[in-house]
Amino acid sequence: MRCAHRVDQVRAAEAELMARLPEGTLMRRAATGLAVTCARLLTRRRGRVYGSRVVVLAGSGDNGGDALYAGAELAGRGARVTAVLLAPGRAHGGGLAALRAAHGRVVVEQEAGLADFSSADLVLDGIVGIGGRGGLRPEAEPYARAERTGLVVAVDVPSGVDADSGEVAGAALRADVTVCFGTYKPGLLIDPGASYAGAVQLVGIGLELPPAGVTALQHADVAALLPVPGAESDKYRRGVVGVAAGSARYPGAALLAVAGALHGGAGAVRYAGTAAEEVVRRFPETLVTEGGPAGAGRVQAWVVGPGGGEGAGRALAEALAADVPVLVDADGLTELARLGPGALAGRTAPTLLTPHTGEAARLLAGAGAGGDGGTRSEQARPPAAEELAAARLATARRLAAVYRATVLLKGSTTVVADSPPASGRGYPHGAVRVNPTGTAWLATAGSGDVLAGLAGSLLAAGLSAPDAAAVAAYLHGLAARRTAAVPGAPVTASEVAAALPAVWNDVRAGAAPAPRPRTPGGTGA
């Protein structure tokens, strides 16, 4: 599992460790790990470090110091290193002295610095560290726009990216590789920041950290959560998932949600809705009724809303009245936004909401002024989907807190946030999981229906709402990657559903995940 910590947690751990070590030891550890990674990249790119052209973009403070010390180590191995000082009067004294002692060159003129930047084999981005807020300052902005031929390696976090949230408030320097120290930072795992980080490599420096507030599952974590039937299992003990989806206008949503549900580990799928005939014809193993959830029979979880049309309101009310976990998606979310958080008040069973950012905007508008849980106001400006997409971590947490539900926020980075626990159930307050799988090809009609059915089935099989959401997003993303990999063309939601058994087996067998796309992908709409 990848664990990411807030800046204040990292600072506290660094201070505690530095108090026990000789002065400068921690920075030297970080710089050595950074230099080793850069040497490996240069060797892979040019065959050797000796003679390589390296540029260090050094801002003020310790981040610039890390980059300068690493530059000095590379210069000691024969690289031609130039340090461009973006804050000449505030450059790290020890790092600058080390670079000069290693015969590195120092430049303060920005025109010369830009020329070196554009022609370098490798650039170390030490402009702004994890404490930076907002976009690049005017003196650094030209580097974000300049052409380059070499690799850019960010020191701890790409300059211009908020380390705690992944938000990018202005210009930022896009990296090919980010070397982070001690722990991952949330902004390296969550878009838009993640799209600036490139490949992320962790260098251990001996920090002792508290439990992480942001995590990303890996194969072993997902394999440990997958439901596996025992010798005494039958279809009812494995769990029955109910699916209330589809309508005369959107019958395909019912088929896709059921397809996802059949591959999620539950023992049986009950379908309730107007597409019963189409569902049983396509999936004869499904138990069907043309009524709503109230008369469908016993289930261990409900999926409500995909393609539900005008009937979504009744289906939502009947499902929420049952004392079982309920996943609300698509038209069910539109209805919930109309009703507001009060519709979930008093529920003791888990609720899982699966919005994209447009639906998140409606949900927050339905919750009142700005989605902060206050009194509704028709005059309050509804949040724009674009604003919410730029602040994905904050958006998921706000929704989870206001609706007191687990939220799977879909998009280029899928974020799962649990509601603040009233008791010991669920994650600690504010903790989230970030999905590392997926591809941009998942932005296709019906993919969200498959995801909803898959997550609902995992709920019925006994997983908690946060676990069901995170595992479903992980498998869904892997299935899309597997489908898109050959022949590398667009995928359909039906193909994603069909690939689920294969990726389930891959995860259980411990097979290596497919290579992550250059641009992070999400879990569709």
Side-chain angles (χ1 to χ4, degrees):
M1 182 180 293
R2 286 185 168 187
C3 297
H5 292 80
R6 299 189 314 269
V7 171
D8 64 322
Q9 294 174 313
V10 174
R11 294 294 195 214
E14 287 177 341
E16 194 278 332
L17 183 57
M18 284 190 290
R20 296 187 278 111
L21 295 174
E23 185 177 356
T25 301
L26 200 59
M27 181 171 286
R28 290 286 191 178
R29 286 181 183 176
T32 296
L34 178 61
V36 168
T37 299
C38 291
R40 187 182 305 121
L41 292 170
L42 286 169
T43 301
R44 189 180 305 156
R45 185 178 181 86
R46 300 187 72 254
R48 61 182 183 175
V49 175
Y50 187 87
S52 299
R53 293 167 298 175
V54 175
V55 167
V56 176
L57 299 179
S60 59
D62 290 347
N63 189 258
D66 293 334
L68 288 166
Y69 275 120
E73 293 197 27
L74 293 171
R77 296 183 59 172
R80 293 180 290 165
V81 181
T82 298
V84 180
L85 305 186
L86 299 177
R90 292 178 292 149
H92 190 277
L96 190 56
L99 183 75
R100 283 178 164 143
H103 305 291
R105 173 171 162 257
V106 177
V107 169
V108 296
E109 299 83 7
Q110 293 308 301
E111 185 174 344
L114 282 167
D116 289 327
F117 172 86
S118 298
S119 61
D121 296 308
L122 184 143
V123 174
L124 275 168
D125 168 17
I127 303 172
V128 183
I130 60 176
R133 294 291 182 270
L136 291 173
R137 302 297 181 262
E139 63 272 15
E141 273 193 40
Y143 293 94
R145 298 189 299 268
E147 293 185 2
R148 74 223 198 178
T149 57
L151 298 173
V152 172
V153 178
V155 181
D156 226 1
V157 66
S159 295
V161 171
D162 188 298
D164 277 343
S165 67
E167 296 176 30
V168 179
L173 184 54
R174 195 176 299 276
D176 299 289
V177 176
T178 296
V179 178
C180 57
F181 306 127
T183 181
Y184 294 96
K185 314 306 184 291
L188 301 177
L189 305 180
I190 301 170
D191 274 338
S195 67
Y196 284 82
V200 180
Q201 299 188 15
L202 178 64
V203 170
I205 55 174
L207 300 183
E208 297 179 4
L209 291 154
V214 175
T215 58
L217 297 182
Q218 295 177 298
H219 260 39
D221 308 304
V222 175
L225 291 169
L226 292 178
V228 180
E232 300 299 318
S233 296
D234 58 36
K235 60 179 178 288
Y236 297 108
R237 290 176 182 172
R238 290 178 56 196
V240 179
V241 58
V243 177
S247 60
R249 185 176 182 184
Y250 302 112
L255 296 172
L256 292 168
V258 168
L262 287 169
H263 296 306
V269 178
R270 289 189 189 277
Y271 172 78
T274 59
E277 186 176 340
E278 292 90 338
V279 168
V280 78
R281 183 184 302 118
R282 176 66 180 84
F283 303 110
E285 60 269 50
T286 310
L287 311 172
V288 301
T289 177
E290 293 184 353
R298 185 179 177 185
V299 301
Q300 278 68 54
W302 274 107
V303 174
V304 180
E310 295 180 358
R314 175 190 167 192
L316 178 64
E318 292 182 4
L320 291 177
D323 189 26
V324 298
V326 175
L327 183 151
V328 187
D329 185 48
D331 289 332
L333 293 171
T334 299
E335 181 65 17
L336 183 59
R338 185 184 69 80
L339 298 171
L344 303 182
R347 272 185 58 77
T348 56
T351 307
L352 172 57
L353 312 181
T354 58
H356 54 60
T357 51
E359 292 161 339
R362 293 196 288 273
L363 287 166
L364 289 174
D372 59 3
T375 304
R376 292 194 193 187
S377 170
E378 292 183 0
Q379 287 74 39
R381 181 182 68 84
E386 294 79 8
E387 296 172 11
L388 301 183
R392 305 192 62 80
L393 182 59
T395 298
R397 283 178 166 159
R398 285 168 63 195
L399 276 172
V402 170
Y403 281 85
R404 297 204 62 82
T406 301
V407 172
L408 185 158
L409 182 63
K410 295 181 284 195
S412 59
T413 301
T414 293
V415 177
V416 177
D418 197 17
S419 60
S423 60
R425 184 186 67 81
Y427 291 170
H429 175 67
V432 302
R433 283 181 179 171
V434 178
N435 182 49
T437 68
T439 166
W441 289 120
L442 266 175
T444 186
S447 67
D449 303 333
V450 175
L451 176 65
L454 175 61
S457 187
L458 290 163
L459 280 174
L463 272 65
S464 69
D467 285 343
V471 170
Y474 193 95
L475 295 174
H476 188 252
L478 284 182
R481 283 196 207 174
R482 187 183 186 95
T483 303
V486 179
V491 303
T492 67
S494 296
E495 290 170 334
V496 172
L500 287 172
V503 299
W504 185 294
N505 288 334
D506 287 346
V507 168
R508 287 203 62 203
R516 183 173 180 175
R518 178 66 180 84
T519 301
T523 52

